[in-house]
Each structure stands twice: as C-alpha cells, then as structure tokens.
Amino acid sequence: MALISPSRRLRRTPFSEGVEAAGVKAYTVYNHMLLPTVFESVEADYHHLKKNVQIWDVSCERQVELRGPDAGRLMQMLTPRDLRGMLPGQCFYIPIVDETGGMLNDPVAVKLAEDRWWISIADSDLLYWVKGVANGWRLDVLVDEPDVSPLAIQGPKAEELLERVFGSSIRNIRFFRFGVFQFQGRDLVIARSGYSKQGGFEIYVEDSEIGMPLWNKLFEAGEDLDVRAGCPNLIERIEGGLLSFGNDMTDDNTPHECGLGRFCDTHTAIGCIGRDALLRVAKEGPVQQIRPLSISGEPVPACTEYWPLYASGKRVGRVSSAAWSPDFRTNVAIGMVRMTHWDAGTKLEVETPVGMRAATVRDKFWI
Amino acid sequence: MALISPSRRLRRTPFSEGVEAAGVKAYTVYNHMLLPTVFESVEADYHHLKKNVQIWDVSCERQVELRGPDAGRLMQMLTPRDLRGMLPGQCFYIPIVDETGGMLNDPVAVKLAEDRWWISIADSDLLYWVKGVANGWRLDVLVDEPDVSPLAIQGPKAEELLERVFGSSIRNIRFFRFGVFQFQGRDLVIARSGYSKQGGFEIYVEDSEIGMPLWNKLFEAGEDLDVRAGCPNLIERIEGGLLSFGNDMTDDNTPHECGLGRFCDTHTAIGCIGRDALLRVAKEGPVQQIRPLSISGEPVPACTEYWPLYASGKRVGRVSSAAWSPDFRTNVAIGMVRMTHWDAGTKLEVETPVGMRAATVRDKFWI
C-alpha cells in the first residue's frame, strides 16, 4: 500500500482526533473526506465487529439537505422509488438515477418533515446533481450540505451501548426509522441503520463541536463492552451483500442491474427523471445483474480494477469486490454477471492479479 | 502519513503501471482517481521540475464533454467568463459558479468545435452539475465523461522533449492554445498548459489503450534529458500562486474572493447562472481575498485544516496551503485575508499545528 498525502482538500472530520488516537492504520477517501479502513487489521476488525460493538466515523456520508415547499417534489424527481407513503421519521434506501436510468448514487433518504429531508450519500457529489436539477426546474427549495456528520454504532452490543447513553427508548427505534434524542442539550437524529449486517445505529451529529464529546462519552460508557473504533469492513460488507457505489456499480448501471429493482416503482414514481428509460428494463428485466460469487483457492488481493469473468473463454461479466472470509473459508466476491450465466451454481473463471481462478455463482450472499 | 487502502472506487489510470514502476511513494485522491504526490521526495521532485522535464499522470483531470447544438449555450450558462470571442483551438480557464456565485470548480475549457467542448476539471463531480442543468433547462446536448486522460509534460525541457516525439510544429502552439498531433495513427489534442509555472504541455490522451505506449515513448525519447515521472508539486504551485479547488477555495467563495475577478465578465456573460449574485460583488469588490503570505520560522507541516490568521488577537482570515520553499528560504503560503488586513506588508499571526507564527502579506506570489 502507498501513503496518502494529507491536505485540506481531503477533509478531516469532527472525530478525526479520536480516530487517530485509536490508531487508525489506513484510510480511503470518500466524498472528499477521510474514511478509516483499518484499525488493528481488516481481519481482526472483522472478528471484533461480529462479536462486540464498534464506533465508526462515517462523517463522509455527507448530507444533502432539501428544505422548502418543493422539497418533496424534488425528492421524487431524484428517485424511481415511490415516496408517497413515506412518513417523517422514516429512512428509505433510494437509488438515484440520471435521465438514462444510470445510477448516480445509492443514498439513504431521511424524511425529517414534509418540507425537510436529508440525503445521506454514497461517494459522489450528489449535491451538484440536486442543485442543477433544482435550478433548471426553478424549484422553490434550498439545497446545501449542512454540518451533519454521521457516527455509526455497529455490532451486536450496539443497542446495549446506546441505551447507556441515551436511555432505554433507544430500543423502540425500528429498522430504518429514527428518533430524536438529547445530548448536551442538543437534538440528535438517531436511526437504526448502518453499513453492516451486525445491527446498530447511525447518529446524525449536527454541529461539529459536539463530535468529540459524544465520541468520548460513548467510549467511556462502553469500556466493559470492549467498544473499539472501527469502520466499514470489506469482508463483512461483501459477505452481507452491501454494495459500494463506485466499486460495484457506476453510472453505467441501472438499479435493476444492481439488484435494486425492488426499490424501483417505475410505474407510480411520477416525475422521476430517468423513469422513461427504466420502464422497459423494469418490464423485461436487465441482461446482467449483481451476483454473489465465491472464488476458489488462496486469499485474493484487493480488487482495484474489474476482474473479468469468463465461461468457456467468453467474457460474461466482472468481479468488483473480493476478500478472503475467515468465517466462510473462501474468497467472497461481488460480481456483475450476464443473464446467460447468472444462475446459482454456474461455474465460471475469474482473471485475478494472481492468476485465473475458479468462481461459482451463489444463490445468495453469506449473511 | 497513513496508508491508502486500494479499491476499484479509487480509480487507477492508463498510466498507473508506469507510475508504479517509477517508484511513486504517495498519492492523493482527485475526482475518485489516484493522483501521485511524491516520487523521490517533494523537495527533490521540486528541484528536478525546475531544471529538467517531468511526465505527470494527471488523468484525474477528468473531462466533461458537451456535444450538440446547445453545447455553446450551456457552456456560457456555467461560467461568468464571456465565451463569445473564444475560437476552436483555444483553452480558457473558467470559474464555474452556482446560483449564489459560489465556486463549483475552476476548470480549463477546451473548445474543440462550435458544438463540442471538453471541460478539464478540478476536484468535484462537475459532471453532475452540468447534467442537472442540461436536464432542467431541457437543452439539446449530450454530457458525459469520455475516455480521455491528460498527461502533462512540465519543466524547462518540455518543449525539447515533445519536439522529439511530435515534430517541430509543437513549438508553434501558443500558451493556452492546442493543436492536433498524431501518435500511432491516433489524433491527440496537445495544449500548451499545465499546473506549474515551469512551462509545458498537456496531452489529452484519448483511449486508454495508447496510454502506456505513449508514456514509454516519452521516456525513451527523453533519456538524455533526465526525464522523470513527476506530479503537481506542492511547493512550486504555492510559489506560483496556482490555486487548488477544495484547498484554497470551496463553494463558500466567489471567484472575486479567489482573485479570479479578471475571468468574470459579469455584465456581458448573458445567461450565466449566478450572474445576478455576482453583479454586486463585481461592482463593490469582495471583502476578503486570496493573498500570498510568507510564514516565518522553521518549515511548517502540511496544512490539513484552515489555519486561522489573526491581527491583534482578532481573526482576519485563514491559511489553506503552506510549504517550506528551498529556493526562497521561507514558508510560502496561500491565505484568504479580510480587506482590512490584506495590503502587502501587513504583519499577521497564524496559528499552525506547531504554534503561533508571524506571517506577512506579500504583494505577489513568488514566481
């Protein structure tokens, strides 16, 4: 691995001080911001996440805030998911597409009120798309990036930890719902969500000033739970089938190709940009789709470029994420596979940097 | 410095193989792509750049391509710089602003033909803004990111090197103009431009396939010129006053604050989004502006957060980039200073991670 050169452009977060004190070893850059990737080691972090509780600095999940009378209309223009039934207090995972149906981002929308929303974004400047659309369509809405930095509490002991800090009503938050809780006199939105399959919450920390006080409070409260600093874990997210925008999908892909067709209500999402382009694919289905794959043999290195998938020498797709899974004793991977070869059990070959390997299409992800 | 975790999302370039073979030591991430920052050392790279010739992988200067009957109209909507006099074959440095006059990017526009433009972008997904605007205003234009990766040839011997590969007509290219040259049967746009003050060119490498062949050809041709792999150099760019979007300015700043007022023809740039917001600042001038500053004492560390500037204990600005200059024997810096304290010679104090230091506003950058 090479070094990363620090600069103001790769923004620090309200929790950077805590992250550094916890011994972060590596970062990625996500929405122009530092996102930790390793503390002890990817494997050690993985085992700990599955047994205990971790605190993740995911400030890089920047918010795009929409406020004003046209906020709801603009939200529906952005996504093929029908938002009419969505209530304040709910979070929806929404594909966001351009006029051709290509994915621009796969964020979580947080409905704060009828006229106020946050979009908690994946790695692209979605703010620019939303502002451009709002300007061109002359909508009555303010669009900006507020000072909100999500802090994720993930792992089987997450609820126990948060109860100690915010009280037992934290247990009443249902999946992809949020409540408002107090910390040092401030209101904090806390949702049951997060980029792992181990359960947990995301605290939308509004105002950088309270970042480190909250970080410290959580560590004090969880000392006997072996709470540690952590981060989205490559192995666990592949096992769980959590896609990564920019890795597993880009604006070349439709939501249907990404297996997100269930989040597309193409017939009823009236006003959605890209709806026309998606109508046909929604009817006939995509010709290639995301699939879980196992790759045989020794642990593979990090996937830094698409690895081509072959069947009898013919290219039938590509792998975009891969890692050795200690729990499942195989290389777990996410690929995009053509319809002709996407059935579970299909045997393929994948060209990795360490040579050609056998790969098998699975029926589902591991967890 | 921490490590950077490799992934497909931090895109490799057509020249990554060459960059790695040349011994790159560190990267930054720029437009979701790897940008080298150090080869031998920032200081050694700096001295070499000023004496010889370097080849820079600046693929991360991604292109936004505009094609179609409304391409010219859309271009003028994006910038307060009047583009009416611009001819095919010219490059213009253009501030791009939102409806409030805030900077969204500071790219170089390349006019290929009346109905075809490239925008060679700084670090933000300008594609999303341009696509959003084109959609909302129902313009007849195609907007996408083509397979074009700029390769910069910078340093006093750049012309000598390019003449050997492309012939003597390379000398006829004037500053911020381009010509079309052949390589392996392909047409390549070559402009006299680049992110240094040492002179040189940028080759817009269209089609990743010819990336490494061109890279290798340039190294073979320049062996006796001591040609080396290089990259934008922090010290040299501060000495030369080359601003960095995301470091020295963000969407909080107007072009006038960034000292880019001369690129704003606010009265005649009819149709520019943000023109109304800029009219007043264009008339009255900004209340804060970019200034070169020298910082006294020992070499300062990298500037990873704004360093506050004070005068008699009152905050009057911030420093966003700083480095020790071996040639000028001082710390060179770029700051944003309030009108009350921006005159050349003004003595200020700057709060750095290594303590409070004396700083002086200069009349101009160093080179």
Side-chain angles (χ1 to χ4, degrees), chain B residues 39-213:
Chain B
F39 283 87
E40 194 178 336
S41 73
V42 176
E43 265 201 38
D45 294 352
Y46 159 89
H47 291 301
H48 179 267
L49 168 64
K50 289 188 170 189
K51 280 202 301 281
N52 300 285
V53 54
Q54 294 183 349
I55 297 178
W56 295 3
D57 175 4
V58 286
S59 301
C60 64
E61 294 171 3
R62 305 309 297 161
Q63 307 305 301
V64 176
E65 179 165 316
L66 279 60
R67 259 176 309 152
D70 284 336
R73 180 178 168 206
L74 178 53
M75 280 300 305
Q76 188 63 80
M77 291 175 73
L78 299 176
T79 181
R81 184 161 180 188
D82 190 337
L83 303 178
R84 282 176 302 174
M86 187 176 177
L87 302 169
Q90 285 189 305
C91 308
F92 272 23
Y93 177 67
I94 54 168
I96 290 191
V97 298
D98 67 13
E99 73 289 353
T100 71
M103 297 279 296
L104 295 179
N105 204 289
D106 69 323
V108 171
V110 179
K111 184 169 181 176
L112 300 163
E114 287 302 331
D115 60 354
R116 185 162 176 243
W117 303 65
W118 283 339
I119 312 178
S120 191
I121 64 173
D123 182 35
S124 72
D125 295 334
L126 187 67
L127 181 68
Y128 279 31
W129 171 250
V130 181
K131 277 169 71 88
V133 169
N135 177 275
W137 290 89
R138 290 79 146 180
L139 300 181
D140 224 356
V141 59
L142 290 173
V143 181
D144 57 23
E145 180 183 309
D147 179 13
V148 173
S149 298
L151 189 65
I153 318 299
Q154 301 285 301
K157 296 180 185 165
E159 193 166 52
E160 166 78 19
L161 173 57
L162 279 208
E163 184 177 12
R164 295 181 185 183
V165 176
F166 295 102
S168 61
S169 58
I170 207 85
R171 298 193 180 267
N172 302 332
I173 306 177
R174 285 184 287 152
F175 185 65
F176 262 52
R177 300 282 177 131
F178 69 81
V180 177
F181 294 80
Q182 313 296 313
F183 179 74
Q184 297 193 341
R186 317 286 185 98
D187 283 342
L188 291 181
V189 167
I190 303 184
R192 192 183 287 266
S193 59
Y195 195 64
S196 87
K197 290 282 189 178
Q198 307 308 315
F201 299 85
E202 287 175 302
I203 308 174
Y204 290 79
V205 180
E206 206 170 348
D207 187 352
S208 298
E209 289 296 309
I210 59 168
M212 281 311 298

